[in-house]
Every structure is written in C-alpha cells, then in structure tokens.
Amino acid sequence: MRLIQGIFLIFLLISCSRTVVRSPAAEIGQTDINIVFDIDYTIVQPATDPLDPDVIKIDDELYKVNSWTRDIIESLSRHHNVRIYFFSGGKKERNEKLLKKIKTNSGRSLHEFTQDIFSYDDLHQVAEEGSFSQRLKKNLIPLGLNLDRTILIDDNANFAFKGQERNMLWLGKTYHHYEDFNKSFRDLGNTKVLQEYIPTSFQQWFVARNKLKFVYELLDDAIVNEQLGRVDFLDYISTNREDYIPYGEKFSDHYRKIYLEELPDKNMNCLRAIQSF
Ligand SMILES: [Mg+2]
C-alpha cells in the first residue's frame, strides 16, 4: 500500500512541477516570434538542370528547393514560441500548391508548418511606376503581425515597407541554384538564364548554396539568447546580422567554426576551399 502511495505522490509531484515551469506569457501568445519567409529565390529557385530528379513542377514552372530550406523550417518550428509564415508576391494558388509539394524529412509539407500564407493580393502598392518591388511592398502591419516580434526573410530588400527596415533580413545577393559549382559555367551565354544570377566564383556559389544555413544560425541564436533573457530577438538580429550572413561573400572565423563542424562529407571540397580563404 505504501508503495502505491509513494508512486502516486511522485506522479503528483511531476504533474505539479510541469505546471509550475510553464510560462504564462507563452500560453497567451505574448512571446510568439513570427518568422516570415519569402518564397522565390529564398526557399526555391527556378530549376536550371532539367535532369535533376529533385525538381518540383507547378503549372509548367520548374522549381528547385534551396539547400537547408527543409531543415531550417523544421528546426525553427521546434521552438515553442515561433510561428512560421510565408509571403510571396506570387499568386496565392501557386504559393499554396508549391508549399504543399515541398516535403520535409519528417514527411510533412511546408504548408503544414505554416501559420498563414500571404501572396500577391497582400502586397501594399506604394507607387504607380517602377519595378515590381518598387511599386509593391510587403507591409507587415495589415497582416496583423507585431513589428516588435516579426522578421521577414527575403532575397529582395526592396520589398521592405517604409519604417519596417528592421524587420527585413536580406539574404544577400541572389544566384541561381547549381548543385555543383562547375555546372554554372554551362549556363554562361545561355539566353534563357538570367546571367546576373550565375555565380562566377566558388565563394559566390558556396555562399549562395548555404545562405539559409547562415540565416538559421542567426535566427536560432537570437531565439535562444532571448529565451535566456539576454537580449531581445530583433535586437540580436540587428546587432549581429553582419557577423552571420556573408554579405561580402567572404568567410569570417564565425563561418569557419560553423562549417568545419557541420558540413557533411560530400562537401569536403568546400571545406578545403574555406580553409584556403
Ligand atoms: Mg524573392
């Protein structure tokens, strides 16, 4: 009988301790962080290799999922206070189809990780003339996103709405996806491929291939440091973005640390290249 009472007491203590450690702020959503991903040239690229088996076709358009896309969305969503959104200037139907077709390693589609998807109709027009991103902006306020708790990940910084520059995390210069750097030479002179998006050095190719990894490291450190009570999430990003994202397409000690520890074996050539910088 005493044994049963003891087990019951232990069970009661565990139940109570779980109740005590739960954050009341997290329960009512006050601490949620909104991470908003652009789609084109951020999580996918136009496919350039017709022989690539890992290509997604939506309405006659071919897409290649960027390196790290699946990993970082799965990893970020594991934080209890992170909400994932997508915001693309593409049509809503296309955006939804595409996100449903991209499956993560756990078998869930990106659509299943999403709190909401914003599309062309959600863009805010600020001018009659100019390029697409000069006329139309990604204004986060009408979408109900708290500017103190939201970061937009985008390859095109021009989409930032006036006054929301702090909420824009630019990925750095855009390039086409090439699985292998040597394949990029094949498209030089190909009129069907925008030449300005072809990496012409190994450093450019390597940074482009791994840009979401750099973003993940920054976001994850910002989330964890905030959880530890050290610094506000957005303040951490503003202060440290230049250290994490190689806008100059060169590698600091920070990148060497990340990549020397984590690159898979198949990228040993990359390791050697980094070490030579
Ligand atoms: Mg884009």
Side-chain angles (χ1 to χ4, degrees):
M1 190 63 186
R2 282 193 173 176
L3 180 64
I4 294 172
Q5 283 176 329
I7 292 171
F8 179 73
L9 186 62
I10 290 168
F11 176 77
L12 199 63
L13 283 171
I14 292 171
S15 303
C16 290
S17 66
R18 279 183 181 161
T19 305
V20 169
V21 297
R22 192 180 293 161
S23 162
E27 280 183 350
I28 58 173
Q30 287 182 348
T31 62
D32 280 351
I33 291 167
N34 306 310
I35 301 179
V36 186
F37 286 93
D38 169 49
I39 294 181
D40 295 282
Y41 289 103
T42 294
I43 64 160
V44 298
Q45 312 273 127
T48 54
D49 187 351
L51 301 176
D52 188 337
D54 184 28
V55 161
I56 291 173
K57 187 178 180 187
I58 307 285
D59 301 332
D60 294 332
E61 295 290 334
L62 298 177
Y63 300 93
K64 175 75 184 178
V65 181
N66 278 343
S67 305
W68 302 104
T69 294
R70 299 172 167 98
D71 309 77
I72 75 164
I73 288 173
E74 270 203 325
S75 297
L76 290 170
S77 68
R78 288 195 192 106
H79 291 286
H80 73 276
N81 62 335
V82 166
R83 295 180 181 205
I84 305 289
Y85 295 81
F86 292 93
F87 193 176
S88 159
K91 298 288 185 193
K92 189 170 188 67
E93 187 187 3
R94 191 285 313 231
N95 294 342
E96 293 200 340
K97 277 187 192 171
L98 186 54
L99 293 172
K100 281 178 182 170
K101 272 208 168 182
I102 302 173
K103 307 282 188 193
T104 64
N105 296 333
S106 66
R108 296 169 68 194
S109 74
L110 293 193
H111 196 277
E112 292 174 69
F113 287 89
T114 308
Q115 198 71 24
D116 208 345
I117 300 166
F118 305 112
S119 303
Y120 177 82
D121 290 341
D122 298 303
L123 292 168
H124 185 136
Q125 186 167 353
V126 295
E128 293 291 330
E129 295 182 355
S131 69
F132 190 82
S133 60
Q134 286 171 332
R135 289 180 287 114
L136 299 159
K137 304 292 179 183
K138 295 181 177 177
N139 184 0
L140 303 171
I141 293 176
L143 309 178
L145 298 171
N146 180 348
L147 294 187
D148 291 330
R149 308 297 292 152
T150 303
I151 191 78
L152 168 63
I153 319 296
D154 207 302
D155 67 288
N156 185 348
N158 282 335
F159 277 116
F161 191 73
K162 198 169 189 306
Q164 297 178 17
E165 293 79 8
R166 186 167 174 260
N167 301 97
M168 165 66 74
L169 181 58
W170 181 50
L171 282 175
K173 190 176 179 309
T174 297
Y175 295 100
H176 287 304
H177 177 98
Y178 292 98
E179 199 66 26
D180 183 322
F181 170 57
N182 294 321
K183 287 185 178 176
S184 65
F185 294 111
R186 182 199 60 198
D187 283 339
L188 288 172
N190 180 349
T191 54
K192 290 182 179 174
V193 178
L194 282 173
Q195 300 288 294
E196 63 179 302
Y197 294 159
I198 299 176
T200 54
S201 72
F202 182 85
Q203 289 94 325
Q204 287 178 343
W205 171 84
F206 186 83
V207 168
R209 276 295 304 275
N210 294 289
K211 59 174 64 173
L212 287 178
K213 172 66 172 169
F214 305 131
V215 164
Y216 171 72
E217 295 294 333
L218 174 58
L219 294 177
D220 195 59
D221 284 355
I223 293 165
V224 170
N225 274 283
E226 184 181 79
Q227 286 170 349
L228 294 171
R230 290 174 181 157
V231 63
D232 171 78
F233 171 74
L234 281 186
D235 284 345
Y236 188 92
I237 290 174
S238 298
T239 307
N240 296 290
R241 65 173 70 200
E242 305 278 339
D243 291 334
Y244 283 76
I245 301 179
Y247 292 120
E249 299 172 340
K250 292 205 167 25
F251 291 88
S252 68
D253 288 342
H254 189 86
Y255 309 124
R256 288 189 184 86
K257 181 171 176 294
I258 291 173
Y259 282 93
L260 290 174
E261 288 172 0
E262 296 189 16
L263 268 183
D265 290 344
K266 68 176 182 178
N267 284 326
M268 282 309 289
N269 287 338
C270 302
L271 280 183
R272 282 191 282 274
I274 293 171
Q275 286 166 326
S276 68
F277 283 151

